[in-house]
Structure formats: structure tokens, C-alpha cells
């Protein structure tokens, strides 16, 4: 055990935050799945807890393994991984496993498990554009030589993800724009891209307004034949539900129902919460172990508990920004920042949905929601951040041990 700990490197604060989130995950997943497990497994309420413990164990192993790899290796495989991801996204869009009108998963042969290809795509994209940004700094202000090589991969990935998972595509786009801004891309180029991206978003909002003023309220979701347009009705309904509020529906699949149950959970939690395992709304709130797990956290641990979770993510971002400032090489700096941005932005989006500051999206709370492919890819991303942190830590130790005036040479 001591030998294992001695080989563990990287930012100790980030390691601590990861452990805290993992422990919170096991507590809240166990609480939020108790009733479901009782019904599904004939009284065995610990089934999902054991599954989450297993996922957490695998996730921590992935973090440890990824952080042991020299982060420069990720630059070498970034292009290959990105080129593999594109046909996977195309296959998923047209032939993937369809659920809730969206085709987001592919089923792995032999082991018969599904995973969400957008999780792999996010990781591959940020590795790739970090590599391109680091190599194009001399030409980054030029539209053809600098901007197009970094924005086209972002556009391609977002367009392939959007038909089945618009919220993830928007989060990937927002994270990419922030990274490009920090990567010294021309502001006018970013504004042009943002203006083009706003066109379909405004059309979605206008469609929601038009649908509401027809007098029918939030409509039942119609079945669409094309996988490219199957989710459009859902998007319009969610925006309409967010803009105009409750329509009196008691359907558990209705977005207003989910949001209202989340509000009830938060109201019951108050300042200090009902206590661990004492959630009452978990029996009525759809997906209390994934999309709406933050509402369960507030119900059981109160606003104080919810605030602590928020602070943990912000502290994680702060430590990653410190890495960006300290890392002497551009690829590592951009990579750590990109991966931390995507995790924290996803967390903020999940929290915003739970407290009704944002339309229902379906994104999970990183490292806290019940395990799946998203949980494992999140762990890999954290491991890569810690790999960069390990190098920065090693570089600082070398600088402190070297005689004054001697330059540090990268191994």
C-alpha cells in the first residue's frame, strides 16, 4: 500500500476533491436507488450501491493509470483517436441503440454493454484541439492557417452529437469557445462563430413561443421517423416548459413534472437537509440517481450540502487553472484547462437544471451520478489532468534542486 501511495503523484488537492465526490456519490446513489432496487430486485436495496462501488473502484484505477502516463503521449495519439471518433459518431447517429427518441449509445459485442460515444468524442476532441492550438500559436490570428484548423473539428463533432444530444453538443461548443479564447484566437472570429450558432438556438426559442401561443401548451411528443429530427419536438417542449412553467401534467415523463418534483425536494431540504438516506422525493422524482441527483443532495444535506458540492467543483477548476499557469508547455496547459472546463461546465449545467435555472438537459453530475460510460470517461479525463499536474510538480522540484542559472531541459 505504501509503495502504491509513493507512486501516486499530482495535485493532492485534486486527488482529495475526487475522493470526496466519489464518497458523496456512493452515499447519494445508495439513497436515491433504494426504492428502485427494492422493486426491481425483490427487497435487495444494496444492489445499486455495490454496482456504484464497483464503478468507483474501476474509475479510481483509470485515474491512477491515466495519471501514470506521460501526458505528451496523449498528444501523439490525439489525432488518431479523433479520426476514430468521427465514424463512431456517424455509426451511433444512424445505427446506434435508440432510447427516448435519441440514438446516443452503441452496444459493444461479446460483453453486451453500451457506452455513449459522445463521451469518447469529447475527450478526443479536446485532446486534438489542444494539440492543434499548441502548434498553431504563431498563426493563430490568421483565419485560414490558425482559426479554421481548430474550429472545424469542433463544428464537426457538435453537428454529429446534436441530433441525439443537443445539450452535450452545446456544452462541448461552449467549452471549445472558452478554450479558443484562452488560446489567443481572434475575438472577431469567435463572435462570428457564436452568431452563427445562435441562429438555430433562436429558431428553437421562437418555435417554443409559437407552439405555446397556439393555445395547446406543452404538447405530447410526436414520433419522428428520421433520427436526425426525432428530438426536435422534445427540444421545443423543454424550452416551452422552461419559459412558461407548469401545465398541470402528472405524467412522470413530462419535463414540468420532473422540475416540480426537484423543487419539492429542494424545498423539503431547507438549510440543513433531512439527513442522509431520508429523501422522500426519490420515490416520485424521475432519474434521482443521475439527471436530478443534485436535488436529492440538497434534500438530504440541505442548501449547505449543495453549496459544498458547488465549492468542490469550483476548487477543482481553480486548481486546474493553476496548472495552466504553471505548465511550461502549451499542450499540457491547454489539455488540463479544456478537460477541467468541460467537467465543471457539465456540473454547473446539471445543477442549473435541478434548481430550474436552465431547461431540462439530461446531463449527469460528473463523478456523482450513478456510474456508466460517462462516469468512466470522466475518470480518464481527471487522470489526464493529474498527469499534467504530475509533470508540473516534477518540473518545479527539478528547478528547486538545480543550481541557479542552469536551465531545465524537458526529458
Amino acid at each position: 500500500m505504501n509503495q502504491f501511495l509513493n507512486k501516486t503523484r499530482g495535485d493532492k488537492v485534486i486527488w482529495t476533491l475526487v475522493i470526496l465526490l466519489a464518497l458523496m456519490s456512493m452515499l447519494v446513489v445508495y439513497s436515491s436507488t433504494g426504492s428502485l432496487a427494492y422493486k426491481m430486485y425483490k427487497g435487495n436495496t444494496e444492489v445499486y450501491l455495490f454496482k456504484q462501488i464497483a464503478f468507483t473502484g474501476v474509475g479510481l484505477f483509470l485515474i491512477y493509470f491515466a495519471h501514470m502516463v506521460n501526458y505528451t503521449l496523449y498528444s501523439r495519439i490525439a489525432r488518431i483517436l479523433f479520426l476514430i471518433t468521427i465514424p463512431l459518431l456517424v455509426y451511433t447517429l444512424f445505427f446506434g441503440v435508440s432510447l427516448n427518441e435519441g440514438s446516443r449509445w452503441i452496444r459493444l459485442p461479446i460483453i453486451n454493454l453500451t457506452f455513449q460515444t459522445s463521451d469518447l468524442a469529447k475527450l478526443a476532441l479536446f485532446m486534438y484541439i489542444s494539440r492543434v492550438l499548441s502548434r498553431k500559436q504563431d498563426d493563430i490570428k490568421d483565419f485560414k492557417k490558425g482559426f479554421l484548423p481548430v474550429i472545424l473539428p469542433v463544428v464537426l463533432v457538435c453537428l454529429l452529437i446534436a441530433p441525439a444530444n443537443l445539450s452535450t453538443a452545446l456544452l462541448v461548443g461552449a467549452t471549445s469557445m472558452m478554450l479558443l479564447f484562452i488560446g489567443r484566437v481572434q475575438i472577431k472570429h469567435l463572435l462570428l462563430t457564436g452568431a452563427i450558432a445562435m441562429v438555430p438556438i433562436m429558431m428553437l426559442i421562437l418555435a417554443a413561443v409559437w407552439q405555446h401561443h397556439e393555445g395547446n401548451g406543452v404538447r405530447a411528443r410526436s414520433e419522428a421517423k428520421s433520427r436526425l429530427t426525432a428530438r426536435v419536438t422534445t427540444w421545443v417542449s423543454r424550452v416551452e416548459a422552461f419559459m412558461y412553467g407548469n401545465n398541470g401534467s402528472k405524467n412522470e415523463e413530462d419535463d414540468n413534472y420532473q422540475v416540480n418534483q426537484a423543487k419539492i425536494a429542494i424545498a423539503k431540504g431547507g438549510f440543513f437537509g433531512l439527513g442522509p438516506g431520508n429523501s422522500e422525493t426519490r420515490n416520485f422524482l424521475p432519474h434521482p440517481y443521475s439527471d436530478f441527483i443534485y436535488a436529492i443532495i440538497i434534500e438530504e444535506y440541505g442548501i449547505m450540502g449543495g453549496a459544498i458540492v458547488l465549492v468542490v467543483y469550483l476548487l477543482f477548476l481553480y486548481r486546474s487553472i493553476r496548472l495552466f499557469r504553471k505548465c511550461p508547455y502549451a499542450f499540457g496547459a491547454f489539455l488540463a484547462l479544456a478537460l477541467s472546463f468541460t467537467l465543471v461546465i457539465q456540473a454547473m449545467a446539471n445543477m442549473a437544471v435541478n434548481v430550474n435555472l436552465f431547461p431540462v438537459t439530461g446531463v449527469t453530475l460528473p463523478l456523482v451520478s450513478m456510474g456508466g460510460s460517462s462516469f468512466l470517461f470522466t475518470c480518464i479525463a481527471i487522470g489526464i489532468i493529474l498527469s499534467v499536474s504530475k509533470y508540473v510538480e516534477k518540473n518545479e522540484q527539478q528547478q528547486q534542486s538545480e543550481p541557479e542559472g542552469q536551465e531545465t531541459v524537458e526529458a
Side-chain angles (χ1 to χ4, degrees), residues 360-382:
V360 175
T361 60
V363 297
T364 57
L365 191 60
L367 272 187
V368 177
S369 294
M370 191 164 68
S373 62
S374 178
F375 184 92
L376 297 180
F377 278 106
T378 295
C379 291
I380 294 172
I382 292 171

Side-chain angles (χ1 to χ4, degrees), residues 62-78:
L62 289 175
I63 293 174
Y64 181 81
F65 176 79
H67 112 284
M68 292 297 292
V69 176
N70 190 319
Y71 79 88
T72 56
L73 177 64
Y74 298 117
S75 176
R76 297 169 195 165
I77 67 172

Side-chain angles (χ1 to χ4, degrees), residues 79-98:
R79 187 176 182 181
I80 298 173
L81 191 60
F82 178 74
L83 292 176
I84 292 173
T85 297
I86 299 305
L88 277 178
L89 287 174
V90 174
Y91 176 85
T92 305
L93 183 58
F94 292 101
F95 307 105
V97 178
S98 184

Side-chain angles (χ1 to χ4, degrees), residues 199-382:
V199 173
I201 295 175
M202 290 303 300
M203 290 175 64
L204 189 63
I205 294 173
L206 291 174
V209 173
W210 175 80
Q211 178 171 290
H212 181 77
H213 286 289
E214 269 200 331
N216 296 326
V218 179
R219 296 178 175 177
R221 291 163 190 162
S222 61
E223 295 183 3
K225 295 180 180 180
S226 172
R227 291 196 177 204
L228 295 176
T229 58
R231 297 282 293 172
V232 173
T233 306
T234 301
W235 301 339
V236 174
S237 297
R238 286 182 171 179
V239 173
E240 182 190 357
F242 176 75
M243 292 175 64
Y244 296 102
N246 188 19
N247 66 337
S249 174
K250 296 183 179 180
N251 180 7
E252 292 189 8
E253 297 300 318
D254 186 81
D255 297 318
N256 276 317
Y257 176 86
Q258 298 177 53
V259 171
N260 288 337
Q261 291 300 323
K263 289 179 180 178
I264 292 171
I266 293 170
K268 286 183 176 180
F271 200 75
F272 294 107
L274 301 178
N278 293 327
S279 170
E280 300 170 359
T281 319
R282 64 188 172 190
N283 299 319
F284 308 98
L285 180 63
H287 311 296
Y289 45 82
S290 56
D291 300 359
F292 286 90
I293 199 166
Y294 189 63
I296 302 299
I297 291 174
I298 296 178
E299 183 180 14
E300 295 192 347
Y301 300 92
I303 295 175
M304 286 293 294
I308 290 172
V309 173
L310 175 61
V311 169
V312 167
Y313 284 110
L314 293 177
L315 185 55
F316 180 91
L317 179 61
Y318 169 73
R319 300 299 294 190
S320 299
I321 292 173
R322 287 182 77 250
L323 285 181
F324 173 79
R325 298 178 64 182
K326 288 185 176 182
C327 189
Y329 301 101
F331 172 73
F334 287 134
L335 183 60
L337 200 61
L339 295 179
S340 62
F341 271 160
T342 188
L343 295 181
V344 175
I345 290 175
Q346 180 179 330
M348 296 300 170
N350 177 276
M351 295 178 196
V353 169
N354 276 248
V355 298
N356 199 30
L357 292 178
F358 204 73
V360 175
T361 60
V363 297
T364 57
L365 191 60
L367 272 187
V368 177
S369 294
M370 191 164 68
S373 62
S374 178
F375 184 92
L376 297 180
F377 278 106
T378 295
C379 291
I380 294 172
I382 292 171

Side-chain angles (χ1 to χ4, degrees), residues 61-197:
F61 170 78
L62 289 175
I63 293 174
Y64 181 81
F65 176 79
H67 112 284
M68 292 297 292
V69 176
N70 190 319
Y71 79 88
T72 56
L73 177 64
Y74 298 117
S75 176
R76 297 169 195 165
I77 67 172
R79 187 176 182 181
I80 298 173
L81 191 60
F82 178 74
L83 292 176
I84 292 173
T85 297
I86 299 305
L88 277 178
L89 287 174
V90 174
Y91 176 85
T92 305
L93 183 58
F94 292 101
F95 307 105
V97 178
S98 184
L99 182 64
N100 293 333
E101 301 172 342
S103 181
R104 307 178 187 178
W105 298 266
I106 60 174
R107 191 174 299 278
L108 300 176
I110 302 175
I111 58 176
N112 199 34
L113 292 178
T114 59
F115 86 97
Q116 201 163 318
T117 49
S118 60
D119 294 322
L120 175 61
K122 288 190 294 183
L123 185 61
L125 174 65
F126 293 130
M127 288 169 60
Y128 181 69
I129 62 175
S130 295
R131 171 190 168 96
V132 175
L133 272 176
S134 65
R135 292 174 174 237
K136 294 283 185 180
Q137 283 300 297
D138 293 337
D139 303 314
I140 199 63
K141 300 294 184 182
D142 186 88
F143 183 79
K144 291 183 179 179
K145 295 181 180 179
F147 181 64
L148 286 181
V150 291
I151 197 61
L152 288 180
V154 176
V155 173
L156 179 60
V157 169
C158 289
L159 287 177
L160 290 174
I161 294 176
N165 199 343
L166 180 62
S167 55
T168 297
L170 291 175
L171 294 178
V172 169
T175 304
S176 301
M177 294 288 279
M178 293 175 66
L179 184 63
L180 297 187
F181 173 76
I182 294 171
R184 299 174 52 246
V185 167
Q186 287 269 34
I187 299 295
K188 62 182 180 181
H189 296 159
L190 294 177
L191 290 176
L192 175 62
T193 305
I196 295 173

